Amino acid sequence: MSGPGSSAATPSSTIFLNGGTVVTYNKASNSVEILRNSSILIQNDRIISIGETPPPGILAQAETLNLEGKIISPGFIDTHRHGWQTAYKTIGSCTSLVEYFVRYSEYGPASKLFTTEDVYTSQLTSLYESLNAGVTSMLDHASHAWSKETSKAGLQASVDSGARVWWSYAIHDLRSNFSIDDQFEDLEKLAKDEEGLLKGSPTTVGLAYDRFDGAPKAEVERALKLAKDLDLSVITTHYVGAPYGASNSVELLNSYSALESKIPIVFSHASGLTEADAALLRKHNHFISITPESEHHYGHDHNRSYSIQDQAALGVDTHSTFSSDIVLQARLWLQATRLRLYRKVLADAKAPVNNPMSVNQAFILATRNGAMALRRDDLGIIEPGAKADLVIFNGDSPNMLGWKDPVAAIILHSNVGDIEHVLVDGKFKKKNGKLAVDWEGVKQRFLPSAERIQKIWAETEWPVFGDEFWGIKLGTTETVNVMRGAGNGY
């Protein structure tokens, strides 16, 4: 299966970006570095040089972009998402996490009603949405693997998008004819890539496994052994904890000696993080994925995440419900963390004299820390030898004009409309403000799928919750009132 987006023209193999302000990461000082009026030479998929004028022979063959007044950033990295859910766009805007499980997750009707085409078009559209926002790398928790056909469709869409995707096969008990054994066999087949689907693509195969806290020991050990034997690119798991479940804690994985693996492990949300978990993350160099908008929206919170940001990156989660923009996630997380730490001083009736978190730190979470979470030293940085995954902002837009600090301009003032160019592996995925794909073809293929899915969901009678569901005790939140007169505006 292939999509309309796979027909983008092949770009020049040499690109020279001249005159922009480069925001990168300096390994020696462990800090953000700003290079003003600089340049970048790209050949094929790699950065060759920075701040140097290429020899005339190379320059004559290069595609040159004059970027005076513009800001060049490493591509942003999303360490947790479910791309297949795009067809739900906007219909879950006021959903709780319990409602999400029932209505929109793979444990609801989706595994019976989403066709292979639905999965493919939703996955592809979601990745284009991210590329449009400058997100060049995505760790996809591929929970659409409820058949051989739908798993392959999601992987194919990831490849066709041209994005850098850690497509991570979700092993789950859906009480269907597609058994755990079937899923392991399917994962092995896709990872071995005997059909050559992954050849020449930045997409790789990982493992998404949420059964550490409930599966038989033999199954858990099988999953870990398979990941090792197949040399999978990542292992990812939801770690939420009480009252929701999904208690795939760092300590639990350590009991299986999983943390000693060379494969990076990403713990999504880590809402139940303990001090012992944090110590193990630092010892074994594994990361959590903070998904700020999701954790605010659904209420699974992140009480301790601010204290482990040296082992943290950012993610989006259910992008159909909110933004796929990692810069927006960084901004939300920055301000939420500031408020959380301000409150500790305010609680003593004192006025804070300093700001507890900087825009530079938020930028690192959105770029370099994402690369470190995936153990890719050639990502989240602009330096010779690094992958040419880049985002170029228009510094002259109404909301950016007058910037002095390029990092503050990106984190606090930019929006997706300011992104002019996006490159992955040295290839333009967005150019001159437009995606470098047949977007009309994508729309024509996706919209009928989304309309069908949304109609079915609108006509479905959903269960009314009592005091308990799936062994989870339930409660009701206070609902706010924004109306002066009758009604509350909800």
Side-chain angles (χ1 to χ4, degrees):
M1 176 182 293
S2 62
S6 59
S7 60
T10 302
S12 303
S13 59
T14 302
I15 300 171
F16 184 55
L17 307 177
N18 187 41
T21 293
V22 175
V23 183
T24 186
Y25 180 83
N26 187 305
K27 293 178 182 177
S29 63
N30 269 354
S31 63
V32 171
E33 182 176 26
I34 298 169
L35 307 173
R36 299 183 188 273
N37 192 27
S38 192
S39 62
I40 300 173
L41 178 65
I42 300 166
Q43 288 188 326
N44 299 319
D45 63 334
R46 298 280 176 176
I47 295 170
I48 301 301
S49 65
I50 300 172
E52 300 175 3
T53 301
I58 293 177
L59 195 58
Q61 298 177 9
E63 177 179 1
T64 299
L65 273 68
N66 293 313
L67 301 181
E68 183 178 353
K70 304 187 190 304
I71 303 170
I72 309 170
S73 166
F76 301 106
I77 299 174
D78 173 3
T79 54
H80 182 61
R81 67 184 292 109
H82 301 280
W84 66 271
Q85 297 177 339
T86 315
Y88 296 140
K89 188 68 69 77
T90 75
I91 66 175
S93 62
C94 297
T95 305
S96 70
L97 190 55
V98 175
E99 289 173 318
Y100 166 82
F101 287 145
V102 174
R103 299 183 185 186
Y104 305 113
S105 77
E106 67 272 31
Y107 299 105
S111 61
K112 297 180 178 62
L113 296 174
F114 268 66
T115 66
T116 300
E117 173 73 0
D118 294 329
V119 170
Y120 178 86
T121 57
S122 276
Q123 180 80 358
L124 184 66
T125 304
S126 81
L127 296 172
Y128 285 153
E129 178 186 356
S130 293
L131 286 169
N132 188 54
V135 184
T136 55
S137 294
M138 307 91 169
L139 169 49
D140 191 77
H141 190 118
S143 50
H144 58 79
W146 50 73
S147 72
K148 293 180 180 179
E149 293 75 22
T150 56
S151 62
K152 186 176 180 180
L155 178 57
Q156 181 73 66
S158 301
V159 171
D160 289 347
S161 75
R164 192 177 302 283
V165 183
W166 282 255
W167 182 85
S168 299
Y169 195 114
I171 303 293
H172 39 205
D173 185 3
L174 297 175
R175 308 297 170 91
S176 69
N177 293 329
F178 197 49
S179 68
I180 298 291
D181 286 341
D182 292 335
Q183 293 169 50
F184 278 128
E185 291 173 7
D186 191 36
L187 165 59
E188 185 171 3
K189 179 181 178 182
L190 292 173
K192 288 182 176 178
D193 195 31
E194 294 173 353
E195 297 180 17
L197 178 63
L198 301 171
K199 186 176 180 180
S201 169
T203 289
T204 57
V205 174
L207 170 67
Y209 190 74
D210 286 342
R211 293 172 54 78
F212 291 102
D213 68 338
K217 182 179 180 181
E219 180 191 310
V220 174
E221 291 176 341
R222 178 184 182 184
L224 293 172
K225 184 177 187 302
L226 189 63
K228 179 180 179 181
D229 291 347
L230 294 172
D231 194 24
L232 297 183
S233 59
V234 71
I235 297 172
T236 187
T237 187
H238 287 100
Y239 175 20
V240 181
Y244 295 106
S247 299
N248 301 291
S249 70
V250 185
E251 286 187 272
L252 177 59
L253 268 69
N254 188 53
S255 71
Y256 283 100
S257 300
L259 303 183
E260 298 171 10
S261 169
K262 70 174 184 178
I263 300 173
I265 301 174
V266 177
F267 296 84
S268 301
H269 312 302
S271 304
L273 189 79
T274 65
E275 290 185 7
D277 287 331
L280 287 168
L281 288 172
R282 290 185 173 113
K283 178 180 178 181
H284 295 283
N285 194 26
H286 296 291
F287 279 66
I288 69 171
S289 177
I290 302 169
T291 62
E293 201 163 6
S294 168
E295 288 147 18
H296 281 83
H297 178 102
Y298 292 120
H300 39 305
D301 211 348
H302 34 235
N303 285 326
R304 297 183 179 87
S305 299
Y306 71 89
S307 66
I308 188 68
Q309 291 187 77
D310 51 316
Q311 299 292 148
L314 297 176
V316 167
D317 198 13
T318 59
H319 73 287
S320 61
T321 314
F322 30 72
S323 173
S324 276
D325 179 1
I326 284 294
V327 171
L328 180 58
Q329 303 303 323
R331 183 180 305 160
L332 178 60
W333 176 248
L334 170 66
Q335 305 296 28
T337 302
R338 285 171 166 176
L339 179 58
R340 187 182 294 272
L341 296 177
Y342 278 142
R343 282 174 173 165
K344 290 188 174 186
V345 177
L346 293 168
D348 294 330
K350 296 178 181 178
V353 296
N354 66 304
N355 194 306
M357 185 174 175
S358 74
V359 292
N360 283 5
Q361 291 172 314
F363 183 82
I364 288 170
L365 290 177
T367 54
R368 189 58 179 170
N369 274 23
M372 295 297 94
L374 297 163
R375 296 187 180 173
R376 286 294 300 268
D377 193 47
D378 58 349
L379 299 176
I381 194 169
I382 300 176
E383 68 173 6
K387 283 286 189 178
D389 291 9
L390 301 171
V391 181
I392 300 166
F393 289 84
N394 174 17
D396 295 330
S397 70
N399 50 294
M400 299 275 276
L401 189 66
W403 61 271
K404 178 69 173 177
D405 179 353
V407 180
I410 291 172
I411 295 297
L412 294 178
H413 297 276
S414 75
N415 61 50
V416 171
D418 299 317
I419 296 175
E420 290 192 350
H421 310 291
V422 177
L423 295 93
V424 178
D425 262 355
K427 300 179 178 68
F428 284 102
K429 299 304 172 184
K430 183 177 184 179
K431 194 171 187 181
N432 297 321
K434 294 184 178 180
L435 284 169
V437 300
D438 175 15
W439 183 244
E440 286 301 315
V442 174
K443 284 168 55 180
Q444 291 172 15
R445 190 165 174 179
F446 168 72
L447 286 176
S449 168
E451 289 168 3
R452 184 184 72 83
I453 292 295
Q454 292 179 16
K455 184 175 185 295
I456 293 172
W457 260 246
E459 295 172 350
T460 299
E461 291 188 15
W462 301 104
V464 176
F465 295 108
D467 296 329
E468 189 173 307
F469 180 77
W470 287 358
I472 302 171
K473 292 183 179 180
L474 305 181
T476 303
T477 66
E478 175 186 356
T479 302
V480 304
N481 181 7
V482 300
M483 303 300 294
R484 182 177 173 84
N488 62 13
Y490 195 91

